[in-house]
Amino acid sequence: MRHVLALSKRELISYFLSPVGYIVGFLFIGLYTLFFYIGIIDAHDANEVLSNGISNVGIIGIFAVPFLTMGLLADERKSGTIEMLMTAPVSDWEVVIGKYLGATTYLFCLMTPSLLQLVAVRTYGYPDWGPVLSAYVGVLLLLAMLLSM
């Protein structure tokens, strides 16, 4: 388990240091915010605003996740660290789970700015928190499933 956490931490740091991580993060957060504000213009209810914003995350995730995952092992080969990784005392499943956890943590970090939108909706409306929380859990599970594919 220690190897998995070390690989996960290394992968998460690499997302925050790479241009791909910043570009995907900017587009993910920007598109999510754009769809949220378009939903504000069209909606008349706080629940409708949140459902319009959250429902588009799956579509954004379908396009964002491949950009994050297609370089997981390719970057290891490109930088020449694949030999070191494969000869280290870690098994293949630890490498896969560590990289998956790093990418999942990065995507969950991309979802945290949307909590500010919850504060804005709560300030000006009265959302029903049960569907909002279940929608967030559903979005996080959807993103985790897209990463696993």
Side-chain angles (χ1 to χ4, degrees):
M1 189 63 175
R2 181 178 46 129
H3 300 294
V4 172
L5 293 177
L7 287 169
S8 172
K9 180 181 174 185
R10 181 175 162 255
E11 193 64 37
L12 185 61
I13 290 171
S14 73
Y15 278 127
F16 284 111
L17 295 178
S18 72
V20 172
Y22 280 107
I23 291 169
V24 170
F26 176 75
L27 289 175
F28 187 88
I29 294 170
L31 287 173
Y32 179 81
T33 305
L34 176 72
F35 287 135
F36 176 77
Y37 286 115
I38 288 172
I40 286 178
I41 294 170
D42 293 339
H44 304 291
D45 184 348
N47 292 323
E48 190 177 349
V49 169
L50 291 173
S51 69
N52 287 340
I54 292 174
S55 66
N56 292 314
V57 173
I59 296 168
I60 298 168
I62 288 172
F63 294 107
V65 167
F67 288 112
L68 292 175
T69 57
M70 67 183 163
L72 286 176
L73 289 175
D75 288 340
E76 297 287 342
R77 285 193 183 99
K78 184 175 74 172
S79 65
T81 58
I82 190 76
E83 291 86 11
M84 183 177 63
L85 184 64
M86 290 299 147
T87 58
V90 294
S91 62
D92 292 341
W93 70 269
E94 288 175 325
V95 173
V96 170
I97 297 295
K99 289 187 173 287
Y100 172 75
L101 285 177
T104 305
T105 306
Y106 181 71
L107 269 180
F108 289 178
C109 288
L110 291 182
M111 285 297 296
T112 54
S114 68
L115 298 176
L116 294 173
Q117 297 166 351
L118 284 177
V119 172
V121 169
R122 173 62 184 108
T123 303
Y124 298 110
Y126 299 102
D128 188 12
W129 292 109
V132 170
L133 291 176
S134 64
Y136 267 92
V137 169
V139 163
L140 294 177
L141 289 174
L142 173 70
L143 291 174
M145 186 266 312
L146 288 173
L147 276 171
S148 70
M149 289 189 341

